[in-house]
Amino acid sequence: MISRCLAGVLLGIPLAACTLALALHWMPNRGQDWLIPVLILFFPLWTTVMIASYMFRSGLRAWVVLGSSNIAVFALLWLSRHLAG
């Protein structure tokens, strides 16, 4: 139980931040007009990830899935920044 909670808290922060950064990057004009609303969405998204971490069967599975999700989102953000310029 504590392992799933820690996975949601610790891996939810970078996952929520990177997901919102990716959304801003794909918006027109790189989301400059949507910065404040997207920043307000950070806490509900982080809370959703924390709640969703309790749906996993074990703590190990939560760490693996959330960790791989973080790696995928970071890689996608890195690729979109370097390929789009």
Coordinates of all heavy atoms in Angstrom, one line a residue:
M1 N 0.8 -1.2 0.0 CA 0.0 0.0 0.0 C 0.9 1.3 0.0 O 0.6 2.2 -0.8 CB -0.9 0.0 1.2 CG -1.9 1.1 1.3 SD -3.2 0.8 0.1 CE -4.5 1.7 1.0
I2 N 1.9 1.3 0.9 CA 2.8 2.5 0.9 C 3.6 2.6 -0.3 O 3.9 3.7 -0.8 CB 3.6 2.4 2.2 CG1 4.3 3.8 2.4 CG2 4.7 1.4 2.1 CD1 3.4 4.9 2.9
S3 N 3.9 1.5 -0.9 CA 4.7 1.5 -2.2 C 3.9 2.2 -3.3 O 4.5 3.0 -4.1 CB 5.2 0.1 -2.5 OG 6.0 0.2 -3.7
R4 N 2.7 1.8 -3.4 CA 1.8 2.4 -4.5 C 1.6 3.9 -4.2 O 1.6 4.7 -5.1 CB 0.5 1.7 -4.5 CG 0.6 0.3 -5.2 CD -0.8 -0.3 -5.3 NE -1.1 -0.7 -3.9 CZ -2.3 -1.3 -3.7 NH1 -3.2 -1.5 -4.6 NH2 -2.6 -1.7 -2.5
C5 N 1.5 4.3 -2.9 CA 1.3 5.7 -2.6 C 2.6 6.5 -2.9 O 2.5 7.5 -3.5 CB 1.0 5.8 -1.1 SG 0.8 7.5 -0.5
L6 N 3.8 5.9 -2.6 CA 5.0 6.6 -2.9 C 5.2 6.7 -4.4 O 5.7 7.7 -4.9 CB 6.2 5.9 -2.3 CG 6.4 6.2 -0.8 CD1 7.5 5.3 -0.2 CD2 6.7 7.6 -0.5
A7 N 4.8 5.7 -5.1 CA 5.0 5.7 -6.6 C 4.1 6.8 -7.2 O 4.5 7.6 -8.1 CB 4.6 4.4 -7.2
G8 N 2.9 6.9 -6.7 CA 2.0 7.9 -7.2 C 2.5 9.3 -6.9 O 2.4 10.3 -7.7
V9 N 3.0 9.5 -5.7 CA 3.4 10.9 -5.2 C 4.7 11.2 -6.0 O 4.8 12.3 -6.5 CB 3.6 10.9 -3.7 CG1 4.3 12.2 -3.3 CG2 2.3 10.8 -3.0
L10 N 5.7 10.4 -5.9 CA 7.0 10.7 -6.4 C 7.1 10.7 -7.9 O 7.8 11.5 -8.5 CB 8.1 9.8 -5.8 CG 8.3 9.9 -4.3 CD1 9.3 8.9 -3.9 CD2 8.7 11.3 -3.9
L11 N 6.5 9.7 -8.6 CA 6.5 9.7 -10.0 C 5.4 10.5 -10.7 O 5.4 10.7 -11.9 CB 6.5 8.2 -10.5 CG 7.7 7.4 -10.1 CD1 7.5 6.0 -10.6 CD2 8.9 8.0 -10.7
G12 N 4.4 10.9 -9.9 CA 3.3 11.6 -10.4 C 3.7 13.1 -10.7 O 3.1 13.7 -11.6
I13 N 4.6 13.6 -9.9 CA 5.0 15.0 -10.1 C 5.7 15.2 -11.5 O 5.2 16.0 -12.3 CB 5.9 15.5 -9.0 CG1 5.1 15.6 -7.7 CG2 6.5 16.8 -9.3 CD1 6.0 15.9 -6.5
P14 N 6.7 14.4 -11.8 CA 7.3 14.6 -13.1 C 6.4 14.2 -14.3 O 6.4 14.8 -15.3 CB 8.6 13.8 -13.1 CG 8.4 12.8 -12.0 CD 7.4 13.5 -11.0
L15 N 5.5 13.2 -14.0 CA 4.6 12.8 -15.1 C 3.6 13.9 -15.4 O 3.4 14.2 -16.6 CB 3.9 11.5 -14.7 CG 3.0 10.9 -15.8 CD1 3.8 10.5 -17.0 CD2 2.3 9.7 -15.2
A16 N 3.1 14.5 -14.4 CA 2.1 15.6 -14.6 C 2.8 16.8 -15.2 O 2.2 17.4 -16.2 CB 1.4 16.0 -13.3
A17 N 3.9 17.2 -14.7 CA 4.6 18.4 -15.3 C 5.0 18.2 -16.7 O 4.9 19.0 -17.5 CB 5.9 18.6 -14.4
C18 N 5.6 17.0 -17.0 CA 6.0 16.7 -18.4 C 4.9 16.6 -19.4 O 5.0 17.0 -20.5 CB 6.9 15.5 -18.4 SG 7.9 15.4 -19.8
T19 N 3.8 16.0 -18.9 CA 2.6 15.9 -19.7 C 2.0 17.3 -20.1 O 1.7 17.6 -21.2 CB 1.5 15.1 -19.0 OG1 2.0 13.8 -18.8 CG2 0.3 14.9 -19.9
L20 N 2.0 18.2 -19.1 CA 1.5 19.5 -19.4 C 2.5 20.3 -20.2 O 2.1 21.1 -21.1 CB 1.3 20.3 -18.1 CG 0.1 19.7 -17.2 CD1 0.0 20.4 -15.9 CD2 -1.2 19.8 -18.0
A21 N 3.8 20.1 -20.0 CA 4.8 20.7 -20.9 C 4.6 20.3 -22.3 O 4.8 21.1 -23.3 CB 6.2 20.5 -20.4
L22 N 4.3 19.0 -22.5 CA 4.1 18.4 -23.8 C 2.9 19.0 -24.5 O 2.9 19.4 -25.7 CB 4.0 16.9 -23.8 CG 4.1 16.1 -25.0 CD1 5.4 16.4 -25.7 CD2 3.9 14.7 -24.7
A23 N 1.8 19.2 -23.7 CA 0.6 19.8 -24.2 C 0.9 21.3 -24.6 O 0.4 21.7 -25.7 CB -0.5 19.7 -23.2
L24 N 1.6 22.0 -23.8 CA 1.9 23.4 -24.2 C 2.8 23.4 -25.4 O 2.6 24.3 -26.2 CB 2.7 24.1 -23.0 CG 1.9 24.6 -21.9 CD1 2.7 25.1 -20.8 CD2 0.9 25.7 -22.3
H25 N 3.7 22.5 -25.6 CA 4.6 22.5 -26.7 C 3.8 22.3 -28.0 O 4.2 22.8 -29.1 CB 5.7 21.4 -26.5 CG 6.7 21.5 -27.6 ND1 7.7 22.4 -27.7 CD2 6.9 20.7 -28.7 CE1 8.4 22.2 -28.7 NE2 8.0 21.1 -29.4
W26 N 2.8 21.5 -28.0 CA 2.0 21.1 -29.2 C 1.0 22.2 -29.5 O 0.4 22.1 -30.6 CB 1.4 19.8 -29.1 CG 2.4 18.7 -29.2 CD1 3.7 18.7 -29.6 CD2 2.2 17.3 -28.8 NE1 4.3 17.5 -29.6 CE2 3.4 16.6 -29.1 CE3 1.1 16.6 -28.3 CZ2 3.5 15.2 -28.9 CZ3 1.2 15.2 -28.1 CH2 2.4 14.6 -28.4
M27 N 0.7 23.1 -28.6 CA -0.3 24.1 -28.9 C 0.2 25.2 -29.8 O 1.4 25.3 -29.9 CB -0.8 24.8 -27.6 CG -1.6 24.0 -26.7 SD -2.1 24.9 -25.3 CE -3.1 23.7 -24.5
P28 N -0.7 25.9 -30.5 CA -0.2 26.9 -31.4 C 0.5 28.0 -30.6 O 0.2 28.3 -29.4 CB -1.5 27.5 -32.0 CG -2.5 26.5 -31.8 CD -2.1 25.7 -30.6
N29 N 1.6 28.5 -31.1 CA 2.4 29.6 -30.5 C 3.0 29.0 -29.2 O 3.3 29.8 -28.2 CB 1.6 30.8 -30.2 CG 2.5 32.0 -30.1 OD1 3.7 32.0 -30.4 ND2 2.0 33.1 -29.6
R30 N 3.2 27.7 -29.1 CA 3.8 27.0 -28.0 C 3.1 27.2 -26.7 O 3.6 27.2 -25.6 CB 5.3 27.3 -27.8 CG 6.1 27.0 -29.1 CD 7.3 26.4 -28.8 NE 8.0 26.2 -30.1 CZ 8.9 25.3 -30.2 NH1 9.3 24.6 -29.2 NH2 9.4 25.1 -31.4
G31 N 1.8 27.5 -26.8 CA 0.9 27.6 -25.7 C 1.1 28.8 -24.8 O 0.8 28.8 -23.6
Q32 N 1.7 29.9 -25.3 CA 2.0 31.0 -24.5 C 0.7 31.6 -23.9 O 0.7 32.2 -22.8 CB 2.7 32.1 -25.3 CG 4.2 31.6 -25.6 CD 4.9 32.7 -26.4 OE1 4.3 33.7 -26.8 NE2 6.2 32.4 -26.6
D33 N -0.4 31.6 -24.7 CA -1.7 32.1 -24.2 C -2.3 31.2 -23.2 O -3.2 31.6 -22.5 CB -2.6 32.3 -25.4 CG -2.0 33.3 -26.4 OD1 -1.2 34.2 -25.9 OD2 -2.4 33.2 -27.6
W34 N -1.9 30.0 -23.1 CA -2.6 29.0 -22.2 C -1.7 28.6 -21.0 O -2.0 27.6 -20.3 CB -2.9 27.7 -23.0 CG -3.9 27.9 -24.0 CD1 -3.8 28.3 -25.3 CD2 -5.3 27.8 -23.8 NE1 -5.0 28.4 -25.9 CE2 -6.0 28.1 -25.0 CE3 -6.1 27.4 -22.7 CZ2 -7.3 28.0 -25.1 CZ3 -7.5 27.3 -22.9 CH2 -8.1 27.7 -24.1
L35 N -0.7 29.4 -20.7 CA 0.3 29.0 -19.7 C -0.4 28.9 -18.3 O -0.3 27.9 -17.6 CB 1.4 29.9 -19.6 CG 2.5 29.6 -18.6 CD1 3.1 28.3 -18.9 CD2 3.6 30.7 -18.6
I36 N -1.2 29.9 -17.9 CA -1.8 30.0 -16.6 C -2.8 28.9 -16.4 O -2.8 28.1 -15.4 CB -2.4 31.4 -16.3 CG1 -1.2 32.4 -16.3 CG2 -3.1 31.4 -14.9 CD1 -0.2 32.2 -15.3
P37 N -3.8 28.7 -17.4 CA -4.7 27.6 -17.2 C -4.1 26.2 -17.2 O -4.5 25.4 -16.4 CB -5.6 27.7 -18.5 CG -5.5 29.1 -18.9 CD -4.1 29.5 -18.6
V38 N -3.0 26.0 -17.9 CA -2.3 24.7 -17.9 C -1.6 24.6 -16.5 O -1.6 23.5 -16.0 CB -1.3 24.6 -19.1 CG1 -0.4 23.5 -18.9 CG2 -2.1 24.5 -20.4
L39 N -1.0 25.6 -16.0 CA -0.4 25.5 -14.7 C -1.4 25.2 -13.6 O -1.2 24.5 -12.6 CB 0.3 26.8 -14.3 CG 1.6 27.0 -15.1 CD1 2.2 28.4 -14.7 CD2 2.6 25.9 -14.8
I40 N -2.7 25.7 -13.7 CA -3.7 25.4 -12.8 C -4.1 23.9 -12.9 O -4.5 23.3 -11.9 CB -4.9 26.3 -13.0 CG1 -4.5 27.8 -12.6 CG2 -6.1 25.9 -12.2 CD1 -5.6 28.8 -13.0
L41 N -4.0 23.3 -14.0 CA -4.3 21.9 -14.2 C -3.3 21.0 -13.6 O -3.5 19.8 -13.5 CB -4.4 21.6 -15.7 CG -5.7 22.1 -16.4 CD1 -5.6 21.7 -17.9 CD2 -6.9 21.4 -15.8
F42 N -2.1 21.5 -13.2 CA -1.1 20.6 -12.7 C -1.5 19.8 -11.5 O -1.4 18.6 -11.4 CB 0.2 21.4 -12.3 CG 1.2 20.6 -11.6 CD1 2.0 19.7 -12.3 CD2 1.4 20.7 -10.3 CE1 3.0 18.9 -11.7 CE2 2.3 19.9 -9.6 CZ 3.1 19.0 -10.3
F43 N -2.1 20.5 -10.5 CA -2.5 19.8 -9.2 C -3.6 18.8 -9.5 O -3.5 17.6 -8.9 CB -2.9 20.8 -8.2 CG -3.1 20.2 -6.8 CD1 -2.0 19.7 -6.1 CD2 -4.4 20.0 -6.3 CE1 -2.2 19.1 -4.9 CE2 -4.6 19.4 -5.1 CZ -3.5 19.0 -4.4
P44 N -4.7 19.1 -10.2 CA -5.6 18.0 -10.5 C -5.0 16.8 -11.2 O -5.4 15.7 -11.0 CB -6.7 18.7 -11.3 CG -6.6 20.1 -11.0 CD -5.1 20.4 -10.7
L45 N -4.1 17.1 -12.2 CA -3.5 16.0 -12.9 C -2.6 15.1 -12.0 O -2.6 13.9 -12.0 CB -2.7 16.5 -14.1 CG -2.1 15.5 -15.0 CD1 -3.2 14.6 -15.6 CD2 -1.3 16.2 -16.1
W46 N -1.9 15.8 -11.1 CA -1.0 15.1 -10.2 C -1.9 14.2 -9.2 O -1.6 13.1 -8.9 CB -0.1 16.1 -9.4 CG 0.8 15.5 -8.4 CD1 1.4 14.2 -8.5 CD2 1.2 16.1 -7.2 NE1 2.2 14.1 -7.4 CE2 2.1 15.2 -6.6 CE3 1.0 17.3 -6.6 CZ2 2.7 15.4 -5.4 CZ3 1.6 17.5 -5.4 CH2 2.5 16.6 -4.8
T47 N -3.0 14.8 -8.7 CA -3.9 14.1 -7.9 C -4.5 12.9 -8.6 O -4.6 11.8 -8.0 CB -5.0 15.0 -7.4 OG1 -4.4 16.2 -6.8 CG2 -5.9 14.4 -6.3
T48 N -4.8 13.0 -9.8 CA -5.3 11.9 -10.6 C -4.3 10.8 -10.7 O -4.7 9.6 -10.6 CB -5.8 12.4 -12.0 OG1 -6.7 13.5 -11.8 CG2 -6.4 11.3 -12.8
V49 N -3.1 11.1 -10.9 CA -2.0 10.1 -11.0 C -1.9 9.4 -9.7 O -1.7 8.2 -9.6 CB -0.7 10.7 -11.5 CG1 0.4 9.7 -11.4 CG2 -0.8 11.2 -12.9
M50 N -1.9 10.2 -8.6 CA -1.8 9.6 -7.2 C -3.0 8.6 -7.0 O -2.8 7.5 -6.5 CB -1.8 10.7 -6.2 CG -0.5 11.4 -6.1 SD -0.3 12.4 -4.6 CE -1.4 13.7 -5.0
I51 N -4.2 9.0 -7.4 CA -5.4 8.2 -7.2 C -5.3 6.9 -8.1 O -5.6 5.8 -7.6 CB -6.6 9.0 -7.4 CG1 -6.8 10.0 -6.4 CG2 -7.9 8.0 -7.5 CD1 -7.9 11.0 -6.7
A52 N -4.8 7.1 -9.3 CA -4.7 6.0 -10.2 C -3.7 5.0 -9.8 O -3.7 3.8 -10.2 CB -4.4 6.5 -11.6
S53 N -2.7 5.4 -9.0 CA -1.7 4.5 -8.6 C -2.2 3.4 -7.6 O -1.6 2.3 -7.5 CB -0.5 5.2 -7.9 OG -0.9 5.8 -6.7
Y54 N -3.4 3.6 -7.0 CA -4.0 2.6 -6.2 C -4.7 1.6 -7.0 O -5.1 0.6 -6.4 CB -5.0 3.3 -5.2 CG -4.3 4.1 -4.1 CD1 -4.2 5.4 -4.2 CD2 -3.7 3.4 -3.1 CE1 -3.6 6.2 -3.2 CE2 -3.0 4.1 -2.1 CZ -3.0 5.5 -2.1 OH -2.3 6.2 -1.2
M55 N -4.8 1.8 -8.2 CA -5.5 0.8 -9.1 C -4.6 -0.4 -9.5 O -5.0 -1.4 -10.0 CB -6.1 1.4 -10.3 CG -7.2 2.4 -10.0 SD -8.1 3.0 -11.4 CE -7.0 3.1 -12.7
F56 N -3.3 -0.2 -9.2 CA -2.4 -1.3 -9.6 C -2.4 -2.4 -8.5 O -2.7 -2.2 -7.4 CB -0.9 -0.8 -9.7 CG -0.7 0.2 -10.8 CD1 -0.6 1.6 -10.5 CD2 -0.7 -0.2 -12.1 CE1 -0.4 2.5 -11.5 CE2 -0.5 0.7 -13.1 CZ -0.4 2.0 -12.9
R57 N -2.1 -3.6 -9.0 CA -2.2 -4.8 -8.1 C -1.1 -4.8 -7.0 O -1.3 -5.2 -5.9 CB -2.1 -6.1 -8.8 CG -3.2 -6.4 -9.7 CD -3.1 -7.7 -10.3 NE -4.1 -7.9 -11.4 CZ -4.1 -8.9 -12.2 NH1 -3.2 -9.8 -12.1 NH2 -5.1 -8.9 -13.1
S58 N 0.1 -4.3 -7.4 CA 1.2 -4.3 -6.4 C 2.0 -2.9 -6.6 O 1.8 -2.2 -7.6 CB 2.1 -5.4 -6.7 OG 2.8 -5.3 -7.9
G59 N 2.8 -2.7 -5.6 CA 3.6 -1.5 -5.6 C 4.7 -1.6 -6.7 O 5.0 -0.6 -7.4
L60 N 5.2 -2.8 -7.0 CA 6.2 -2.9 -8.0 C 5.6 -2.6 -9.4 O 6.2 -1.9 -10.2 CB 6.7 -4.4 -8.0 CG 7.8 -4.7 -9.1 CD1 9.0 -3.8 -8.9 CD2 8.1 -6.1 -9.1
R61 N 4.4 -3.0 -9.6 CA 3.8 -2.8 -10.9 C 3.5 -1.3 -11.0 O 3.7 -0.7 -12.1 CB 2.5 -3.5 -11.0 CG 1.8 -3.3 -12.4 CD 0.6 -4.2 -12.5 NE 1.1 -5.6 -12.6 CZ 0.5 -6.5 -13.3 NH1 -0.6 -6.2 -13.9 NH2 1.0 -7.7 -13.3
A62 N 3.1 -0.6 -10.0 CA 2.9 0.9 -10.0 C 4.2 1.6 -10.3 O 4.2 2.5 -11.2 CB 2.3 1.3 -8.7
W63 N 5.3 1.2 -9.7 CA 6.6 1.8 -10.0 C 7.0 1.6 -11.4 O 7.5 2.5 -12.1 CB 7.7 1.3 -9.0 CG 7.6 1.9 -7.7 CD1 7.1 1.4 -6.6 CD2 8.2 3.2 -7.3 NE1 7.2 2.3 -5.5 CE2 7.9 3.4 -6.0 CE3 8.9 4.1 -8.0 CZ2 8.3 4.5 -5.3 CZ3 9.3 5.3 -7.3 CH2 9.0 5.4 -6.0
V64 N 6.8 0.4 -11.9 CA 7.2 0.1 -13.3 C 6.4 0.8 -14.3 O 6.9 1.4 -15.3 CB 7.2 -1.5 -13.6 CG1 7.3 -1.8 -15.0 CG2 8.2 -2.2 -12.7
V65 N 5.1 0.8 -14.1 CA 4.2 1.5 -15.1 C 4.4 3.0 -15.1 O 4.5 3.6 -16.1 CB 2.7 1.1 -14.9 CG1 1.8 1.9 -15.7 CG2 2.5 -0.4 -15.2
L66 N 4.4 3.6 -13.9 CA 4.6 5.0 -13.8 C 6.0 5.4 -14.2 O 6.2 6.5 -14.8 CB 4.3 5.5 -12.4 CG 2.8 5.4 -12.0 CD1 2.6 5.9 -10.5 CD2 2.0 6.3 -12.9
G67 N 7.0 4.6 -13.9 CA 8.4 4.9 -14.3 C 8.5 4.9 -15.9 O 9.1 5.7 -16.5
S68 N 7.9 3.8 -16.5 CA 8.0 3.8 -17.9 C 7.2 4.8 -18.6 O 7.5 5.3 -19.6 CB 7.6 2.4 -18.4 OG 6.3 2.1 -18.0
S69 N 6.1 5.2 -17.9 CA 5.3 6.4 -18.5 C 6.1 7.7 -18.4 O 6.0 8.5 -19.4 CB 4.0 6.5 -17.7 OG 3.2 5.4 -17.8
N70 N 6.8 7.8 -17.3 CA 7.7 9.0 -17.2 C 8.8 9.0 -18.3 O 9.0 10.1 -19.0 CB 8.4 9.1 -15.9 CG 7.6 9.8 -14.9 OD1 7.2 11.0 -15.1 ND2 7.3 9.2 -13.7
I71 N 9.4 7.9 -18.5 CA 10.4 7.8 -19.6 C 9.8 8.1 -20.9 O 10.4 8.8 -21.7 CB 11.1 6.4 -19.5 CG1 11.9 6.3 -18.3 CG2 12.0 6.2 -20.8 CD1 12.5 4.9 -18.0
A72 N 8.6 7.5 -21.2 CA 8.0 7.7 -22.5 C 7.6 9.2 -22.7 O 7.9 9.8 -23.8 CB 6.8 6.9 -22.6
V73 N 7.1 9.8 -21.7 CA 6.7 11.2 -21.9 C 7.9 12.2 -22.0 O 7.9 13.1 -22.8 CB 5.7 11.7 -20.7 CG1 5.5 13.1 -20.7 CG2 4.4 10.9 -20.8
F74 N 8.9 11.9 -21.2 CA 10.2 12.7 -21.3 C 10.8 12.5 -22.7 O 11.2 13.5 -23.3 CB 11.2 12.3 -20.2 CG 11.0 13.1 -18.9 CD1 10.4 12.5 -17.9 CD2 11.4 14.4 -18.8 CE1 10.2 13.2 -16.7 CE2 11.3 15.1 -17.7 CZ 10.6 14.5 -16.6
A75 N 10.8 11.3 -23.2 CA 11.4 11.1 -24.5 C 10.6 11.7 -25.6 O 11.1 12.3 -26.5 CB 11.5 9.6 -24.8
L76 N 9.3 11.7 -25.5 CA 8.4 12.4 -26.4 C 8.6 13.9 -26.4 O 8.6 14.5 -27.5 CB 6.9 12.0 -26.2 CG 5.9 12.3 -27.3 CD1 6.3 11.5 -28.5 CD2 4.6 11.8 -26.8
L77 N 8.7 14.4 -25.2 CA 9.0 15.9 -25.1 C 10.3 16.2 -25.7 O 10.5 17.2 -26.4 CB 8.9 16.3 -23.7 CG 9.1 17.8 -23.4 CD1 8.0 18.6 -24.1 CD2 9.1 18.1 -21.9
W78 N 11.3 15.4 -25.4 CA 12.7 15.7 -25.9 C 12.7 15.6 -27.5 O 13.2 16.5 -28.1 CB 13.6 14.7 -25.3 CG 15.1 14.9 -25.7 CD1 15.9 15.8 -25.2 CD2 15.8 14.3 -26.8 NE1 17.1 15.8 -25.8 CE2 17.1 14.8 -26.8 CE3 15.4 13.3 -27.7 CZ2 18.0 14.4 -27.8 CZ3 16.4 12.9 -28.6 CH2 17.7 13.5 -28.6
L79 N 12.0 14.6 -28.0 CA 12.0 14.4 -29.4 C 11.2 15.6 -30.1 O 11.6 16.1 -31.1 CB 11.3 13.1 -29.8 CG 12.2 11.9 -29.7 CD1 11.4 10.6 -30.0 CD2 13.3 12.0 -30.7
S80 N 10.1 16.0 -29.5 CA 9.3 17.0 -30.1 C 10.0 18.4 -30.1 O 9.9 19.2 -31.0 CB 7.9 17.1 -29.5 OG 8.0 17.5 -28.1
R81 N 10.8 18.6 -29.0 CA 11.6 19.8 -29.0 C 12.7 19.8 -30.0 O 13.0 20.9 -30.6 CB 12.1 20.1 -27.6 CG 11.1 20.5 -26.6 CD 11.7 20.9 -25.3 NE 10.6 21.5 -24.5 CZ 10.8 21.9 -23.3 NH1 12.0 21.8 -22.7 NH2 9.8 22.4 -22.6
H82 N 13.4 18.7 -30.1 CA 14.5 18.7 -31.0 C 14.1 18.5 -32.5 O 14.8 19.0 -33.4 CB 15.5 17.6 -30.6 CG 16.3 17.9 -29.4 ND1 16.5 19.1 -29.0 CD2 16.8 17.1 -28.5 CE1 17.2 19.1 -27.9 NE2 17.4 17.9 -27.5
L83 N 13.0 17.9 -32.8 CA 12.6 17.7 -34.1 C 11.9 18.9 -34.7 O 12.0 19.3 -35.8 CB 11.8 16.4 -34.3 CG 12.5 15.1 -34.1 CD1 11.6 14.0 -34.2 CD2 13.7 15.0 -35.0
A84 N 11.1 19.5 -33.8 CA 10.3 20.7 -34.2 C 11.1 22.0 -34.2 O 10.8 22.9 -34.9 CB 9.1 20.9 -33.3
G85 N 12.2 21.9 -33.5 CA 13.1 23.1 -33.5 C 12.8 24.0 -32.4 O 12.3 24.7 -31.8

